[in-house]
């Protein structure tokens, strides 16, 4: 009779390394992905009142003149174009975390929104849009006279 011996140590070591790498690298990979996506698309809040929808975008450090807002075929588009400025300075940048990349973000708007009366303002780093709702057609009792 022949006895075969299996050495499980290399497999266990590889599995341990795989799990260790996954656990160690997963949070940073997730946070980098979140950071990347949040830099390209500003975070938004959408609120509703009985008269309007309110859209707020978190976009600090921008100039209101650099925003372009348009409505076309039921789609509200907000764009920010970064104008490159080259500054000659006496110091070198060691770390740069501020990011003012250009972005374009679109939202589908409901048919109940009156696109002709949308208002926008930029206050304290928040771009605020008010999307008023159309007045509902009120059906009432109508008297018709016979002529």
């Amino acid at each position: 009779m022949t006895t075969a011996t299996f050495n499980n140590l290399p497999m266990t070591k590889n599995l341990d390394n795989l799990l260790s790498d996954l656990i160690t690298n997963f949070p940073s990979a997730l946070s980098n992905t979140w950071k990347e996506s949040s830099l390209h698309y500003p975070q938004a809040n959408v609120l509703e009142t009985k008269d309007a929808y309110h859209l707020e975008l978190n976009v600090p450090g921008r100039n209101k003149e650099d925003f372009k807002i348009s409505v076309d075929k039921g789609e509200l588009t907000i764009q920010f174009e970064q104008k490159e400025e080259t500054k000659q300075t006496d110091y070198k940048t060691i770390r740069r975390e501020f990011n003012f990349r250009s972005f374009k973000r679109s939202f589908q708007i409901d048919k109940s929104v009156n696109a002709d009366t949308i208002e926008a303002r930029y206050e304290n780093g928040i771009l605020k849009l008010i999307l008023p709702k159309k007045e509902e057609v009120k059906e009432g009792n109508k008297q018709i006279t016979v002529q």
Side-chain angles (χ1 to χ4, degrees), residues 6-145:
F6 294 96
N7 184 356
N8 290 332
L9 187 58
M11 179 61 177
T12 306
K13 183 170 174 36
N14 287 341
L15 184 59
D16 286 343
N17 288 343
L18 177 66
L19 290 174
S20 176
D21 288 346
L22 180 65
I23 291 169
T24 303
N25 295 330
F26 180 71
S28 64
L30 179 64
S31 65
N32 287 340
T33 302
W34 179 81
K35 286 178 189 173
E36 285 283 320
S37 65
S38 67
L39 293 176
H40 294 292
Y41 300 104
Q43 297 168 336
N45 292 334
V46 180
L47 310 163
E48 181 181 11
T49 62
K50 66 177 185 158
D51 299 326
Y53 295 98
H54 298 262
L55 176 64
E56 302 172 337
L57 268 71
N58 184 19
V59 285
R62 272 75 171 197
N63 294 322
K64 65 181 182 180
E65 296 81 20
D66 295 333
F67 290 105
K68 294 179 186 174
I69 303 170
S70 62
V71 177
D72 186 32
K73 298 177 185 170
E75 184 174 77
L76 173 70
T77 302
I78 302 166
Q79 289 181 279
F80 171 76
E81 292 292 327
Q82 174 63 41
K83 296 184 172 65
E84 282 295 319
E85 294 181 19
T86 54
K87 295 181 181 177
Q88 214 55 356
T89 58
D90 296 340
Y91 53 88
K92 69 176 183 173
T93 303
I94 296 172
R95 182 179 179 120
R96 180 177 301 265
E97 292 185 357
F98 290 3
N99 188 340
F100 298 105
R101 291 183 185 169
S102 300
F103 70 83
K104 179 179 180 181
R105 186 135 190 218
S106 297
F107 299 88
Q108 293 295 320
I109 57 173
D110 192 57
K111 291 180 181 181
S112 67
V113 172
N114 186 353
D116 296 331
T117 58
I118 294 175
E119 299 174 17
R121 64 180 187 265
Y122 184 64
E123 297 176 341
N124 300 323
I126 306 291
L127 179 63
K128 297 179 180 183
L129 285 88
I130 300 172
L131 297 88
K133 295 179 182 178
K134 294 178 183 175
E135 289 188 33
E136 295 180 26
V137 178
K138 296 180 182 175
E139 295 184 24
N141 190 3
K142 183 178 179 182
Q143 295 293 324
I144 301 172
T145 56

